[in-house]
Amino acid sequence: RKQCSDALWNLVESHKDHAEVQAKMDVIGLLKLIRNALYSGATTRNSCVSAQDAMVKLFTFRQSKTMENADYLKKFKELTELVAFNGTIIGVKETRVTDMIKEIAKDKNVPTEDEYEKAKDMAQEQFHAILLIRHADKNRFGELIAYLENSFTMGEDRYPRTVTKAYEILVNYKKFVQHAHDASEHGMSYHTEQTNNNETHVPREDRNHGGRGGRGTGRAGRGRGRGAGRGIRNNVRGGDRNGEYHLLEEDTDTGDTNNGSSNTSIP
């Protein structure tokens, strides 16, 4: 009693079987009542409704963008247990059970009862494992999901067989991310980077690294400031008495004007 909240204990006491369970001091029966109250939040619900609600919760549950893998697994297991608690067995299709029997039975045509039950458990476990992968966050694991589907299409079944293996894949999976860089005026270049599934890594682009090359004797590039200057620039000096115009050369290094050189006349 002390381990339950008041709200939970009220649900347990209102159950129709509580008086009988208490009279018999049935510990197992009491635990079932507590579990029923935890999962359903009610004590008087139609069993079919409870089973259907449990399946809806499981099949609509998705890992959000901010949900950690450990939290996702914990919630997923709670929902699968809720489905089982309500008496629903999912993923145990006869054809899948038969496939499992072929793997484990000594006599595939006449499996023992233990072998048949084990095959059912294996079929259900794989069903849960694949569901865990497929309902994982698409932003982090979309490429993984597509890879598994494409591999199966190509005749190679890489789907995990257990929930433990599925979770291990999610934790250790690393995806490839392409980043575009403006390599030239005529196209784009890409590099592929491997990142952990729990991290969003965007490399910083150094816009001042190299820059654009100069055109002719023009600017040398934007990477490290202006390079060798603007080459030779000819400035026209006013006309003299004869109506001729003289060109002045500007020193490319110092910017000084050499008045005594290259007095080319323009008629």
Side-chain angles (χ1 to χ4, degrees), residues 60-111:
T60 58
F61 172 62
R62 299 289 189 278
Q63 181 184 21
S64 66
K65 294 180 181 180
T66 58
M67 180 178 285
E68 296 292 339
N69 290 327
D71 295 332
Y72 172 53
L73 177 64
K74 180 180 178 181
K75 182 64 176 178
F76 180 84
K77 285 186 173 181
E78 288 178 357
L79 294 175
T80 56
E81 290 174 3
L82 176 60
V83 171
F85 176 77
N86 283 280
T88 306
I89 301 175
I90 58 175
V92 187
K93 189 178 180 180
E94 193 62 33
T95 54
R96 297 185 64 250
V97 174
T98 301
D99 292 338
M100 298 300 176
I101 289 175
K102 292 177 181 179
E103 294 182 12
I104 64 173
K106 293 181 179 180
D107 187 345
K108 300 177 182 180
N109 297 318
V110 187

Side-chain angles (χ1 to χ4, degrees), residues 7-8 10-16 31-55 57 75 78-79 81-87:
L8 178 61
N10 290 335
L11 289 174
V12 172
E13 287 185 323
S14 62
H15 196 280
K16 61 182 180 63
L31 290 175
K32 289 182 178 180
L33 294 182
I34 293 174
R35 189 173 185 178
N36 181 69
L38 281 171
Y39 282 146
S40 64
T43 57
T44 55
R45 295 191 72 190
N46 183 280
S47 60
C48 291
V49 173
S50 296
Q52 291 167 7
D53 285 349
M55 286 191 292
K57 288 179 180 179
K75 182 64 176 178
E78 288 178 357
L79 294 175
E81 290 174 3
L82 176 60
V83 171
F85 176 77
N86 283 280

Side-chain angles (χ1 to χ4, degrees), residues 139-140 173 175 177 194-202:
N139 292 291
R140 283 175 280 177
Y173 172 72
K175 67 179 181 179
V177 181
Q194 201 175 42
T195 63
N196 187 274
N197 65 78
N198 290 322
E199 298 176 353
T200 302
H201 177 67
V202 180

